[in-house]
Amino acid sequence: MANLIDGKRISQEIKDELKEKTAGLKRQGIEGCLAVIQVGADPASTVYVRNKKRACEYIGIESRSFELPEETTQEQLLELIQNLNTDELVNGILVQLPVPDQIDENKIIQAIAPQKDVDGFHPQNVGALTSGLPGFVSCTPAGVIQLLKRSGISIAGKNCVVVGRSNIVGKPMALLMLREHATVTIAHSRTQNLKEVCRQADILIVAVGKPKLIDASYVKEGAVVIDVGIHRNEDQKLCGDVDFDSVSAHAGAITPVPGGVGPMTIAMLMYNCVQAMTR
């Protein structure tokens, strides 16, 4: 049976460290403030926003919430972002995705000042990651790196396969694993012989958006399996992109869903917010 990689425990560890750091910054007169913008009332987004507010409260930074109606125009949203860009009391700005159809997601991401882009989605921050320069790193991939390191899993020299090539997870995940000296393959929906490619992985990171796509036949005996996916199955229970029951009997270590990668995303968002305070 695989070792369980406990994202709840590790994320709490990180938040406790950040709470201490924030208290130290406050003693120096440095305050933190995260502005969170939600357009519309998507239920999943509402849960994520609430969790982000709670995390801010826990580590000791202010969160400002902007809950805008579904029919908000792109111009109205851009105007709000511009006001927050110039507000010296706000260190971080986050627009909860997805946004309604009338709004161009890319324009919104590019409108946020790179030094306040705590999601790490702005092209300038993505370029910094590619070039090995300082910048904010996308929270979910950064969380995966912390899960591996804090679980005592060495990355350098290992074969890593990332299944998924999104701008938010797949691509930055591959770049971060390269930065940690792994040998990286990016696989996706059009990869030929996907099963064989995955079976080469010492570390298999799955962010493909398809429930239980990866079963034991994709996984090398003893591999580390990181499941980034989150879905509800026909019984309304949460599950990931990996078939946990079949893979956990075969892998060396695995993240559960829930309680694996999910809590880490918010912990790393808080990490980015504290970084923004110190810049």
Side-chain angles (χ1 to χ4, degrees):
M1 187 70 182
N3 290 328
L4 214 57
I5 299 173
D6 188 348
K8 278 186 185 171
R9 178 187 62 77
I10 294 169
S11 69
Q12 189 59 49
E13 205 175 88
I14 291 168
K15 285 188 287 189
D16 287 342
E17 290 164 13
L18 293 171
K19 187 176 185 177
E20 209 171 294
K21 191 165 185 182
T22 306
L25 289 168
K26 280 186 174 176
R27 287 193 289 273
Q28 298 170 46
I30 301 168
E31 296 283 343
C33 175
L34 171 66
V36 181
I37 304 168
Q38 181 183 354
V39 185
D42 175 73
S45 291
T46 301
V47 171
Y48 289 135
V49 166
R50 187 166 65 235
N51 289 343
K52 286 165 186 174
K53 286 182 196 166
R54 280 185 189 149
C56 284
E57 192 179 337
Y58 183 81
I59 71 160
I61 65 175
E62 183 194 347
S63 68
R64 281 196 214 168
S65 190
F66 298 86
E67 286 153 13
L68 309 179
E70 186 83 27
E71 60 275 12
T72 298
T73 65
Q74 182 164 292
E75 289 65 35
Q76 288 169 324
L77 181 52
L78 287 170
E79 187 183 347
L80 172 57
I81 290 168
Q82 190 47 45
N83 290 340
L84 294 169
N85 281 340
T86 56
D87 186 337
E88 290 180 7
L89 297 177
V90 172
N91 316 95
I93 302 169
L94 181 153
V95 178
Q96 183 64 42
L97 302 177
V99 287
D101 292 343
Q102 73 273 17
I103 296 169
D104 182 336
E105 195 173 282
N106 285 326
K107 281 191 176 162
I108 298 311
I109 288 168
Q110 289 172 35
I112 297 169
Q115 68 273 20
K116 296 190 179 190
D117 165 44
V118 286
D119 258 335
F121 296 162
H122 191 284
Q124 187 172 310
N125 283 319
V126 176
L129 173 60
T130 307
S131 313
L133 297 169
F136 292 116
V137 176
S138 186
C139 302
T140 300
V144 170
I145 296 292
Q146 288 299 314
L147 277 180
L148 293 169
K149 287 185 169 181
R150 289 173 185 247
S151 300
I153 295 162
S154 64
I155 303 172
K158 297 290 177 65
N159 281 333
C160 171
V161 175
V162 179
V163 188
R165 54 178 166 177
S166 72
N167 290 337
I168 289 172
V169 180
K171 289 176 190 170
M173 190 72 253
L175 288 165
L176 282 175
M177 292 301 280
L178 273 176
R179 193 163 84 177
E180 298 295 332
H181 312 297
T183 301
V184 181
T185 302
I186 303 178
H188 46 78
S189 58
R190 298 196 187 179
T191 299
Q192 293 183 358
N193 305 320
L194 179 62
K195 200 172 277 193
E196 285 72 25
V197 171
C198 290
R199 275 210 297 259
Q200 301 303 309
D202 303 310
I203 301 172
L204 179 62
I205 301 170
V206 189
V208 77
K210 291 186 179 172
K212 298 190 179 183
L213 174 75
I214 303 296
D215 63 22
S217 66
Y218 287 77
V219 180
K220 179 167 81 172
E221 188 81 40
V224 175
V225 180
I226 305 289
D227 188 352
V228 180
I230 187 155
H231 316 273
R232 286 200 182 273
N233 65 15
E234 55 279 1
D235 303 324
Q236 292 305 299
K237 286 188 175 171
L238 290 172
C239 67
D241 291 349
V242 173
D243 180 0
F244 182 85
D245 292 339
S246 102
V247 172
S248 60
H250 191 70
I254 190 169
T255 57
V257 176
V261 175
M264 296 300 295
T265 301
I266 289 180
M268 298 316 291
L269 172 67
M270 294 301 106
Y271 176 84
N272 282 351
C273 288
V274 174
Q275 290 293 105
M277 289 168 69
T278 59
R279 286 184 181 176

